[in-house]
Amino acid sequence: MYSSRRQFLSRPLGSLLESATQKEDDMRFGLVTYLWGRDWNLPTLIRNCQDAGVKGVELRTEHAHGVETHLSASDRVAVQRQFMDSGVILVGLGTNWSFHYTDAARLAHAISQAKASIILAHDVGASGIKVKPDALPDGISEKQTIAQIGRALRTLGQFGQGYGQEIRLEVHGRRTDQLPVIRQIMEVADHPNVRVCWNCNTTDLKEPGLAHNFELVRKYFGQTVHVRELDDNAYPYRQLFELLVISEYTGWVLLEARTEPADRTSALRHQRSLFEALVQLSKKD
């Protein structure tokens, strides 16, 4: 809940519309513009999502859609308008900002630029930004780096709250893709606006197994989960979806595809159908 009218009104219009139309038990399918959308400009991206029946998208930075912090105020309004007119929801911005750096100036720059991305996300009608914990550097105690990342996230969580933007920590990086490490980072961050973006890494399967590791961070989940191709048998997607359904996850499941199909729109449509089948099977169990 928002504690004041100002906080409510600070949310971007796209986020307000999303909240108004989403059913409480919905889990929805979207796309991360990692490989399949990297070279699509914004109109093409939106059209292909419409054609594939995909209702939401997370825009990765430095891709052909061009939604970057250098956009003017009028350009930002135009981006928001394109999404509002399309029926495709701009779920968030996928930034590459991370906060493990040993150099203080580089860390300060990353935090400053992440704040700029938060403002951009608000202006274009998104509901959050994705950031990364990228690494635990050699020669520095893990505890020190974990604390540094957590403090940076708390700063961004506080800043983002004023713009109605969720800070989504992707489970990613060298040694920072371990769920016990992510939990420690989140315990330091200790802010309700800082959330975890599950990322379907092979490290999720480490002993004592997926269910245990899922539970380590489930209470921190935000509005986004990243998956790879759902017909990739190397990851137990059936079990993951059962865990999502049992724990009443109601956010976005975003495809961060890694393959290179000849027809990406058709492949995206197929992945959506796999998502829908997995949801229904998991609800029956």
Side-chain angles (χ1 to χ4, degrees), residues 100-125:
H100 62 287
Y101 304 114
T102 57
D103 179 76
R106 191 172 183 187
L107 173 62
H109 175 75
I111 294 171
S112 173
Q113 292 305 302
K115 288 180 177 179
S117 295
I118 288 168
I119 296 170
L120 171 65
H122 170 271
D123 292 348
V124 296

Side-chain angles (χ1 to χ4, degrees), residues 82-93:
Q82 287 183 70
F83 279 101
M84 289 178 61
D85 291 345
S86 72
V88 177
I89 292 170
L90 177 50
V91 178
L93 304 182

Side-chain angles (χ1 to χ4, degrees), residues 208-275:
L210 177 62
H212 171 85
N213 292 326
F214 180 90
E215 188 60 28
L216 284 177
V217 297
R218 174 61 185 94
K219 70 177 182 179
Y220 297 113
F221 274 29
Q223 296 181 37
T224 57
V225 163
H226 286 177
V227 297
R228 314 294 181 243
E229 288 82 344
L230 294 170
D231 46 359
D232 180 355
N233 294 325
Y235 195 90
Y237 284 111
R238 175 71 180 273
Q239 183 185 5
L240 174 65
F241 273 71
E242 290 171 355
L243 292 168
L244 290 170
V245 168
I246 290 168
S247 65
E248 299 181 341
Y249 176 71
T250 58
W252 289 91
V253 175
L254 301 172
L255 178 69
E256 190 175 15
R258 293 182 290 192
T259 55
E260 292 280 7
D263 184 342
R264 283 175 276 167
T265 304
S266 177
L268 185 55
R269 188 179 301 112
H270 175 62
Q271 289 297 317
R272 178 182 58 79
S273 69
L274 292 175
F275 163 81

Side-chain angles (χ1 to χ4, degrees), residues 2-216:
Y2 288 79
S3 60
S4 70
R5 183 173 181 273
R6 177 184 175 276
Q7 281 185 305
F8 179 79
L9 292 176
S10 70
R11 298 177 66 189
L13 181 55
S15 176
L16 292 170
L17 291 172
E18 177 181 348
S19 297
T21 58
Q22 183 178 5
K23 297 178 182 178
E24 289 185 0
D25 62 349
D26 279 350
M27 179 164 42
R28 290 184 287 177
F29 180 74
L31 174 68
V32 177
T33 60
Y34 172 53
L35 290 182
W36 288 9
R38 68 190 184 279
D39 55 356
W40 293 340
N41 62 25
L42 197 55
T44 301
L45 171 64
I46 290 172
R47 183 175 64 252
N48 289 345
C49 284
Q50 291 172 319
D51 290 348
V54 173
K55 299 299 184 182
V57 65
E58 177 183 290
L59 301 179
R60 280 283 295 264
T61 190
E62 299 175 358
H63 283 185
H65 52 70
V67 180
E68 306 288 349
T69 55
H70 61 71
L71 290 181
S72 67
S74 60
D75 288 339
R76 296 177 186 215
V77 170
V79 169
Q80 183 171 152
R81 178 58 60 186
Q82 287 183 70
F83 279 101
M84 289 178 61
D85 291 345
S86 72
V88 177
I89 292 170
L90 177 50
V91 178
L93 304 182
T95 81
N96 285 323
W97 302 118
S98 53
F99 314 105
H100 62 287
Y101 304 114
T102 57
D103 179 76
R106 191 172 183 187
L107 173 62
H109 175 75
I111 294 171
S112 173
Q113 292 305 302
K115 288 180 177 179
S117 295
I118 288 168
I119 296 170
L120 171 65
H122 170 271
D123 292 348
V124 296
S127 60
I129 70 164
K130 183 218 74 180
V131 295
K132 300 188 294 188
D134 237 26
L136 293 178
D138 296 329
I140 304 292
S141 76
E142 289 188 4
K143 184 177 180 180
Q144 179 178 332
T145 301
I146 286 168
Q148 176 179 299
I149 295 170
R151 289 192 300 268
L153 290 169
R154 188 188 309 146
T155 296
L156 294 175
Q158 293 167 346
F159 185 84
Q161 196 165 39
Y163 289 90
Q165 298 300 307
E166 184 177 75
I167 310 305
R168 299 159 181 162
L169 182 69
E170 184 180 43
V171 182
H172 181 274
R174 186 170 61 89
R175 294 189 287 168
T176 47
D177 62 353
Q178 313 285 327
L179 277 309
V181 172
I182 293 295
R183 182 180 175 116
Q184 291 176 63
I185 291 171
M186 294 300 293
E187 287 172 346
V188 174
D190 191 27
H191 194 284
N193 198 43
V194 178
R195 313 310 294 167
V196 166
C197 175
W198 186 266
N199 199 38
C200 293
N201 303 310
T202 56
T203 48
D204 304 344
L205 312 180
K206 283 191 169 185
E207 292 296 338
L210 177 62
H212 171 85
N213 292 326
F214 180 90
E215 188 60 28
L216 284 177

